[in-house]
Short mmCIF file of all heavy atoms in Angstrom, two decimals:
data_model
loop_
_atom_site.label_atom_id
_atom_site.label_comp_id
_atom_site.label_asym_id
_atom_site.label_seq_id
_atom_site.Cartn_x
_atom_site.Cartn_y
_atom_site.Cartn_z
N PHE A 6 28.21 -17.02 50.98
CA PHE A 6 26.78 -16.91 51.15
C PHE A 6 26.28 -15.53 50.74
O PHE A 6 25.29 -15.39 50.02
CB PHE A 6 26.40 -17.24 52.59
CG PHE A 6 24.94 -17.21 52.84
CD1 PHE A 6 24.11 -18.21 52.35
CD2 PHE A 6 24.37 -16.17 53.57
CE1 PHE A 6 22.76 -18.18 52.57
CE2 PHE A 6 23.02 -16.14 53.80
CZ PHE A 6 22.20 -17.16 53.29
N ILE A 7 27.00 -14.49 51.14
CA ILE A 7 26.63 -13.11 50.78
C ILE A 7 26.79 -12.90 49.27
O ILE A 7 25.95 -12.27 48.62
CB ILE A 7 27.47 -12.10 51.59
CG1 ILE A 7 27.09 -12.16 53.05
CG2 ILE A 7 27.31 -10.68 51.05
CD1 ILE A 7 27.95 -11.30 53.95
N LEU A 8 27.83 -13.45 48.71
CA LEU A 8 28.05 -13.36 47.27
C LEU A 8 26.92 -14.06 46.50
O LEU A 8 26.41 -13.54 45.52
CB LEU A 8 29.41 -13.95 46.89
CG LEU A 8 29.80 -13.87 45.42
CD1 LEU A 8 29.96 -12.41 44.98
CD2 LEU A 8 31.07 -14.65 45.18
N LEU A 9 26.51 -15.22 46.96
CA LEU A 9 25.43 -15.97 46.34
C LEU A 9 24.11 -15.18 46.41
O LEU A 9 23.37 -15.10 45.43
CB LEU A 9 25.28 -17.34 47.00
CG LEU A 9 24.18 -18.23 46.46
CD1 LEU A 9 24.47 -18.64 45.01
CD2 LEU A 9 24.03 -19.44 47.33
N ILE A 10 23.84 -14.59 47.55
CA ILE A 10 22.63 -13.78 47.69
C ILE A 10 22.70 -12.56 46.80
O ILE A 10 21.71 -12.19 46.14
CB ILE A 10 22.41 -13.39 49.18
CG1 ILE A 10 22.03 -14.64 49.98
CG2 ILE A 10 21.34 -12.31 49.30
CD1 ILE A 10 21.85 -14.39 51.45
N SER A 11 23.84 -11.92 46.71
CA SER A 11 24.01 -10.74 45.86
C SER A 11 23.79 -11.08 44.39
O SER A 11 23.10 -10.36 43.66
CB SER A 11 25.40 -10.13 46.03
OG SER A 11 25.61 -9.73 47.34
N VAL A 12 24.36 -12.17 43.96
CA VAL A 12 24.19 -12.61 42.57
C VAL A 12 22.73 -12.96 42.32
O VAL A 12 22.17 -12.62 41.26
CB VAL A 12 25.13 -13.80 42.25
CG1 VAL A 12 24.77 -14.43 40.92
CG2 VAL A 12 26.58 -13.35 42.25
N SER A 13 22.08 -13.59 43.24
CA SER A 13 20.67 -13.94 43.11
C SER A 13 19.80 -12.70 43.01
O SER A 13 18.87 -12.62 42.20
CB SER A 13 20.21 -14.79 44.28
OG SER A 13 20.90 -15.99 44.34
N VAL A 14 20.07 -11.71 43.84
CA VAL A 14 19.31 -10.47 43.79
C VAL A 14 19.55 -9.76 42.47
O VAL A 14 18.59 -9.25 41.84
CB VAL A 14 19.70 -9.54 45.00
CG1 VAL A 14 19.16 -8.13 44.81
CG2 VAL A 14 19.22 -10.14 46.30
N TYR A 15 20.78 -9.72 41.98
CA TYR A 15 21.08 -9.07 40.69
C TYR A 15 20.35 -9.77 39.54
O TYR A 15 19.73 -9.13 38.69
CB TYR A 15 22.59 -9.06 40.45
CG TYR A 15 22.93 -8.54 39.07
CD1 TYR A 15 22.87 -7.19 38.80
CD2 TYR A 15 23.26 -9.42 38.04
CE1 TYR A 15 23.16 -6.70 37.53
CE2 TYR A 15 23.54 -8.94 36.77
CZ TYR A 15 23.50 -7.59 36.53
OH TYR A 15 23.78 -7.11 35.27
N ILE A 16 20.41 -11.08 39.52
CA ILE A 16 19.74 -11.85 38.46
C ILE A 16 18.24 -11.63 38.53
O ILE A 16 17.57 -11.44 37.50
CB ILE A 16 20.11 -13.35 38.55
CG1 ILE A 16 21.57 -13.54 38.14
CG2 ILE A 16 19.20 -14.19 37.67
CD1 ILE A 16 22.09 -14.95 38.34
N SER A 17 17.69 -11.64 39.72
CA SER A 17 16.26 -11.40 39.90
C SER A 17 15.89 -10.00 39.39
O SER A 17 14.88 -9.82 38.69
CB SER A 17 15.91 -11.55 41.37
OG SER A 17 14.63 -11.09 41.63
N TYR A 18 16.66 -9.00 39.76
CA TYR A 18 16.42 -7.63 39.31
C TYR A 18 16.52 -7.52 37.79
O TYR A 18 15.68 -6.92 37.12
CB TYR A 18 17.41 -6.68 39.99
CG TYR A 18 17.31 -5.25 39.55
CD1 TYR A 18 16.27 -4.44 39.99
CD2 TYR A 18 18.24 -4.71 38.68
CE1 TYR A 18 16.16 -3.12 39.57
CE2 TYR A 18 18.15 -3.41 38.25
CZ TYR A 18 17.11 -2.62 38.71
OH TYR A 18 17.01 -1.32 38.29
N TYR A 19 17.55 -8.12 37.21
CA TYR A 19 17.78 -8.06 35.76
C TYR A 19 16.61 -8.67 34.99
O TYR A 19 16.07 -8.06 34.08
CB TYR A 19 19.09 -8.79 35.44
CG TYR A 19 19.38 -8.88 33.97
CD1 TYR A 19 19.91 -7.80 33.28
CD2 TYR A 19 19.15 -10.06 33.25
CE1 TYR A 19 20.18 -7.87 31.93
CE2 TYR A 19 19.42 -10.14 31.91
CZ TYR A 19 19.93 -9.05 31.25
OH TYR A 19 20.18 -9.12 29.90
N PHE A 20 16.20 -9.87 35.38
CA PHE A 20 15.11 -10.53 34.65
C PHE A 20 13.76 -9.89 34.93
O PHE A 20 12.87 -9.91 34.09
CB PHE A 20 15.11 -12.03 34.94
CG PHE A 20 16.19 -12.75 34.20
CD1 PHE A 20 17.26 -13.32 34.87
CD2 PHE A 20 16.15 -12.87 32.81
CE1 PHE A 20 18.26 -13.96 34.18
CE2 PHE A 20 17.14 -13.51 32.12
CZ PHE A 20 18.21 -14.06 32.80
N ASN A 21 13.59 -9.31 36.11
CA ASN A 21 12.37 -8.58 36.40
C ASN A 21 12.25 -7.37 35.47
O ASN A 21 11.16 -7.09 34.95
CB ASN A 21 12.34 -8.15 37.87
CG ASN A 21 11.00 -7.60 38.27
OD1 ASN A 21 9.99 -7.98 37.71
ND2 ASN A 21 11.00 -6.70 39.24
N ASN A 22 13.35 -6.67 35.22
CA ASN A 22 13.35 -5.56 34.26
C ASN A 22 13.05 -6.04 32.85
O ASN A 22 12.32 -5.38 32.11
CB ASN A 22 14.67 -4.81 34.30
CG ASN A 22 14.78 -3.87 35.48
OD1 ASN A 22 13.78 -3.51 36.08
ND2 ASN A 22 15.99 -3.49 35.83
N LYS A 23 13.61 -7.16 32.48
CA LYS A 23 13.35 -7.73 31.16
C LYS A 23 11.85 -8.04 31.00
O LYS A 23 11.25 -7.73 29.97
CB LYS A 23 14.16 -9.01 30.93
CG LYS A 23 15.61 -8.80 30.68
CD LYS A 23 15.80 -8.41 29.25
CE LYS A 23 17.26 -8.47 28.91
NZ LYS A 23 17.51 -7.98 27.58
N ILE A 24 11.27 -8.65 32.00
CA ILE A 24 9.85 -9.00 31.94
C ILE A 24 8.99 -7.74 31.88
O ILE A 24 8.01 -7.68 31.11
CB ILE A 24 9.46 -9.88 33.15
CG1 ILE A 24 10.10 -11.27 32.99
CG2 ILE A 24 7.95 -10.01 33.29
CD1 ILE A 24 9.95 -12.16 34.21
N THR A 25 9.35 -6.73 32.64
CA THR A 25 8.60 -5.47 32.63
C THR A 25 8.66 -4.82 31.24
O THR A 25 7.66 -4.34 30.73
CB THR A 25 9.15 -4.51 33.71
OG1 THR A 25 9.09 -5.15 34.98
CG2 THR A 25 8.37 -3.21 33.74
N ASN A 26 9.83 -4.81 30.64
CA ASN A 26 9.97 -4.25 29.30
C ASN A 26 9.18 -5.04 28.27
O ASN A 26 8.54 -4.47 27.37
CB ASN A 26 11.44 -4.19 28.89
CG ASN A 26 12.19 -3.11 29.64
OD1 ASN A 26 11.60 -2.15 30.13
ND2 ASN A 26 13.50 -3.27 29.75
N GLN A 27 9.19 -6.35 28.37
CA GLN A 27 8.42 -7.18 27.46
C GLN A 27 6.92 -6.94 27.63
O GLN A 27 6.18 -6.91 26.66
CB GLN A 27 8.73 -8.67 27.70
CG GLN A 27 10.11 -9.09 27.27
CD GLN A 27 10.28 -9.02 25.77
OE1 GLN A 27 9.39 -9.35 25.01
NE2 GLN A 27 11.46 -8.59 25.34
N ARG A 28 6.49 -6.76 28.87
CA ARG A 28 5.08 -6.48 29.15
C ARG A 28 4.67 -5.16 28.50
O ARG A 28 3.60 -5.06 27.90
CB ARG A 28 4.87 -6.45 30.65
CG ARG A 28 3.43 -6.55 31.05
CD ARG A 28 3.26 -6.67 32.55
NE ARG A 28 3.76 -7.96 33.02
CZ ARG A 28 4.36 -8.18 34.19
NH1 ARG A 28 4.54 -7.20 35.02
NH2 ARG A 28 4.75 -9.38 34.51
#
Side-chain angles (χ1 to χ4, degrees):
F6 183 72
I7 292 175
L8 183 64
L9 180 66
I10 290 177
S11 299
V12 169
S13 298
V14 167
Y15 174 76
I16 290 173
S17 169
Y18 177 76
Y19 176 79
F20 284 111
N21 190 29
N22 282 341
K23 286 280 192 185
I24 290 172
T25 303
N26 288 337
Q27 290 293 321
R28 195 174 291 146

